Amino acid sequence: MPPTAPDPSSGEQLPVRTAAVWAALDPLVGAGSALRVLDVGGGSGGFAVPLARLGHEVTVVDPSADALATLERRAQNAGVGARVRGLQGDGDQLHELPLGGTGDDGGGYDLALCHAVLEVVDDPATTLREITRALRSGGQVSVATANRAGAVLARALSGHPKEALALLEDRDPAPGRTRPARRRFGPADLLALVEDAGLTPGEWRGVAVVADLLDASSGADPAAVRRLELALAAASPYRDVATGLHVLATRP
C-alpha cells in the first residue's frame, strides 16, 4: 500500500495536508525493506503507526507521557504494538536515551522524522545535531517546520494584519503571552540549519499549500485536493506560501 493512500483496514486516513511529506518519504518507506525509524516529537503516532503498518520498526521520542500512552493504545489497536516503541525524552537530549546503536558506532537509524519540533525546542541546532548522530551513514532525516510566509498569509486572511506584519518582521505576534513564541522558518533558514547539522539537504517542498486554506465545509473532494497538493508542493510561487516547509536530508 503506498503511504499516501488511505488504508481501509486501519479505520483512519492519512491527512491530506501531509501528502507532500508522505510523497517524499514514499521511495524510502515503500521500497519493501524494513527500516529502523526514529520519530522525534512523534507524539501519538500520526506517522509512527502508519510506518509500522508498512513493516518498519519505529521508536518515538516525545516529552509527553500522555501522548506516548495514546501512541501505545493506537499502535496496539492497529495491530503493530510490537513494532512501535515509545521513549519519554527531549530531542536535544537523545544521547541520554536508550536508542540503541548510534551513527557513530555503526548502528544507527535508517530514517529519522523531525516534524513540528524545531518550532518549539530550546535549541533547534542542537536538536538536529542529536538527530544526525542517531543516523547511520547514508541515513536520512525528514524535517518539517512551520513556514513564516504561510503564517503571515494565514494571519492576514483571518483578519489580523498587525500579527501578520509582526510575523513578517520575525517579531512575536503576541508579545504579552506567558509561553514562548513558536518559531517560523523561511526556506533559507531551514536549509542552513540542516547543513550546519552535517546533513546534505535535498530540494525543499511546501506542506499544506492549499489544504489549510480550505474550509472543512467546502465540500472539496479530498482526492482532488491531495493531487493538487502534490502538484504544488515543489512549484514556486505556490510552495513559498505553504503552511509548512519540508526537506529530506542525508547524513554523508
Side-chain angles (χ1 to χ4, degrees), residues 193-219:
L193 269 174
V194 167
E195 291 173 347
D196 288 347
L199 297 161
T200 302
E203 183 182 13
W204 69 271
R205 296 175 177 227
V207 178
V209 178
V210 295
D212 287 352
L213 299 176
L214 292 173
D215 187 273
S217 61
S218 68

Side-chain angles (χ1 to χ4, degrees), residues 229-251:
E229 282 289 344
L230 294 177
L232 299 178
S236 289
Y238 312 104
R239 66 174 182 171
D240 303 83
V241 294
T243 297
L245 306 171
H246 176 259
V247 64
L248 197 60
T250 305
R251 176 176 180 174

Side-chain angles (χ1 to χ4, degrees), residues 43-57:
S44 58
F47 276 81
V49 171
L51 287 172
R53 291 183 62 85
L54 290 170
H56 306 299
E57 302 286 334

Side-chain angles (χ1 to χ4, degrees), residues 38-42 59-62 90-91 94 112-115 117 127 131:
L38 175 65
D39 188 355
V40 177
T59 297
V60 176
V61 174
D62 198 277
D90 296 313
L94 292 181
L113 309 183
C114 179
H115 297 165
V117 169
T127 298
I131 292 172

Side-chain angles (χ1 to χ4, degrees), residues 13-39:
Q13 289 189 344
L14 302 177
V16 172
R17 69 182 312 277
T18 57
V21 179
W22 282 110
L25 292 175
D26 189 26
L28 297 174
V29 304
S33 300
L35 304 177
R36 292 187 68 213
V37 181
L38 175 65
D39 188 355

Side-chain angles (χ1 to χ4, degrees), residues 49-160:
V49 171
L51 287 172
R53 291 183 62 85
L54 290 170
H56 306 299
E57 302 286 334
V58 188
T59 297
V60 176
V61 174
D62 198 277
S64 170
D66 289 341
L68 292 175
T70 301
L71 166 70
E72 183 177 4
R73 290 194 299 271
R74 188 173 181 180
Q76 292 293 344
N77 291 339
V80 294
R83 290 200 291 272
V84 176
R85 176 176 64 139
L87 293 174
Q88 188 172 7
D90 296 313
D92 58 358
Q93 300 291 324
L94 292 181
H95 63 277
E96 296 184 355
L97 300 176
L99 295 180
T102 68
D104 292 332
D105 64 16
Y109 286 82
D110 303 298
L111 172 66
L113 309 183
C114 179
H115 297 165
V117 169
L118 300 184
E119 296 91 330
V120 297
V121 294
D122 291 337
D123 187 343
T126 296
T127 298
L128 271 183
R129 285 194 294 268
E130 288 280 299
I131 292 172
T132 301
R133 289 183 63 252
L135 291 170
R136 64 169 175 79
S137 178
Q140 295 183 280
V141 55
S142 169
V143 185
T145 67
N147 180 20
R148 183 181 298 112
V152 170
L153 180 62
R155 293 295 177 92
L157 291 177
S158 62
H160 300 286

